[in-house]
Every structure is written in structure tokens, then in C-alpha cells.
Amino acid sequence: GESVGLHLPTLSVQEGDNSIINCAYSNSASDYFIWYKQESGKGPQFIIDIRSNMDKRQGQRVTVLLNKTVKHLSLQIAATQPGDSAVYFCAENEGRALTFGSGTRLQVQP
Amino acid sequence: DGGITQSPKYLFRKEGQNVTLSCEQNLNHDAMYWYRQDPGQGLRLIYYSQIVNDFQKGDIAEGYSVSREKKESFPLTVTSAQKNPTAFYLCASSILLAAYEQYFGPGTRLTVT
């Protein structure tokens, strides 16, 4: 498969535990913040987004938290499963397109 | 079955040759995007287009060219002027003014030797 993220920071968790992936962003003017999941050899898959006027948003098994004071974004995955193993990217949007962070590899141990 | 297709999945070229990567979408999206991804890094924007016959440079457009003759298609040409073309190339699309919700294709891995 595609060698995405050879030197990425790695988060290793046990199956069933909760995972928290963090991201620092740079643009205070960004309107939206988005989390993507990328499996080896595939394109990124949209997980969840949050608008800049919110501080928390929940989806199915996932929660995104936004702290604009310190420009910090986090993705919480509840009851992590083996299928959650992937590289996770945060991205920010101000108008034209997306600016991506460098990613975190999540490894789920059985 | 709606989505974005990129072909081929793997592409090999000799240095000095131009190569065109295909991207087609049947989602009826107005906006399309090209990103480059290198190992250990996030995606970087090459070009984007919000409407047919119009496109804009992204952060790393040098050595690349695009066209948008049809709404469904946004091919990317990697020219010989691109100094380090070996990378994973990803195409995406979105509805107009909703760049925060982009849908990605499976990518093309280009290797230039």
C-alpha cells in the first residue's frame, strides 16, 4: 500500500479504549475545522467537521473539540476498534480550499 | 454509484517526460481540487477550480498545469519543470463554497526515475 505517514507521530491504544488525537492550527480566520481519516493507499475520508463558532460537536463514536483561545483541535474516538487504525489529519478551511496538518497515526492493539 | 475516480493507481515515468493524471467525478460538484502528499506530511494544494474554464493556483503550483473543460473532469499535468514529482496525488471535489466538505478520490502514486 501507499507509504503515507512514514514519520508521523503515533498513538497506540488498546481495542475498546478511547482515543484522543490532537491538532494545533494556525489560522484564526478559518471558518471550519475538519477531521479526515486516511487508510494506507487510499484517499482521505471525511469524519466530522466543526464550525468556528462552536466548541464541541458529536458524531457517531466521535467528538471534536475546538479551543480557539489556544488554537487547538481534538478528535475523540470512543471504544476504539481495529478498523479505526489509520492516519488522521486535521484540516482548516478559510474560503478556497483546505490546509492540512501533518497527521497522526492511530494504531489499535487487539 | 457516485464518486471520484482517479486513474491509474500507479504511474511510472522517466525524468523529463510530462505526464497527465486523470480525475473524474459524477457528484455534480462545481469545485475540484488537486493535492500532493509526501510521506510524513499532510496534503498540499496544487490547483483548484470552482467553475468550468476557470482555475486558481494553490500553494505549490510550480511545475504543474491543469484544465477544466468539463464540469466532471479536472486533469493534472506534471511537467518536466517539476523538480521532485514523485508523490501521491489526490483529487477532490465539493459543492461550490463548501470547500470544508471535500470528497477525495483514491489517489495516483506517481514515480519518476
Side-chain angles (χ1 to χ4, degrees), chain A residues 20-77:
Chain A
I20 300 177
I21 301 171
N22 297 303
C23 175
Y25 65 90
S26 56
N27 187 355
S28 298
S30 292
D31 300 314
Y32 282 88
F33 301 89
I34 309 99
W35 281 100
Y36 281 90
K37 172 186 179 182
Q38 187 175 29
E39 296 174 328
S40 183
K42 297 182 179 180
Q45 178 185 359
F46 175 90
I47 301 173
I48 190 169
D49 63 9
I50 186 168
R51 198 163 183 174
S52 59
N53 61 356
M54 301 171 65
D55 53 21
K56 180 179 181 179
R57 189 176 184 204
Q58 289 185 297
Q60 187 176 11
R61 272 201 316 120
V62 295
T63 300
V64 55
L65 299 177
L66 175 63
N67 185 332
K68 292 181 287 293
T69 302
V70 295
K71 295 184 183 177
H72 184 266
L73 188 69
S74 69
L75 177 70
Q76 301 178 3
I77 304 174

Side-chain angles (χ1 to χ4, degrees), chain A residues 2 36 38 41 43 89 96 101, chain B residues 9 33 37 42 59 102 105 109:
Chain A
E2 176 57 45
Y36 281 90
Q38 187 175 29
F89 292 97
R96 57 169 196 169
Chain B
K9 187 166 179 63
Y33 314 82
Q37 187 174 34
D59 300 318
Q102 293 182 25
R109 172 69 179 178

Side-chain angles (χ1 to χ4, degrees), chain A residues 82-97:
Chain A
D84 295 327
S85 293
V87 176
Y88 289 80
F89 292 97
C90 65
E92 53 186 306
N93 170 237
E94 185 202 358
R96 57 169 196 169

Side-chain angles (χ1 to χ4, degrees), chain B residues 13-78:
Chain B
R13 281 294 183 271
K14 293 290 186 183
E15 192 174 329
Q17 294 178 335
N18 291 354
V19 58
T20 297
L21 281 59
S22 167
C23 178
E24 304 279 333
Q25 55 97 1
N26 60 5
L27 300 168
N28 200 33
H29 285 168
D30 288 297
M32 297 185 73
Y33 314 82
W34 274 105
Y35 294 89
R36 169 186 171 131
Q37 187 174 34
D38 295 285
Q41 298 187 32
L43 284 67
R44 292 183 289 167
L45 182 66
I46 305 172
Y47 268 99
Y48 65 102
S49 168
Q50 294 181 313
I51 195 169
V52 173
N53 292 323
D54 187 55
F55 46 83
Q56 307 296 327
K57 292 182 179 180
D59 300 318
I60 55 166
E62 185 177 351
Y64 300 98
S65 65
V66 293
S67 63
R68 187 87 187 277
E69 297 178 0
K70 298 186 301 181
K71 185 176 182 178
E72 303 79 18
S73 178
F74 191 39
L76 172 75
T77 297
V78 184

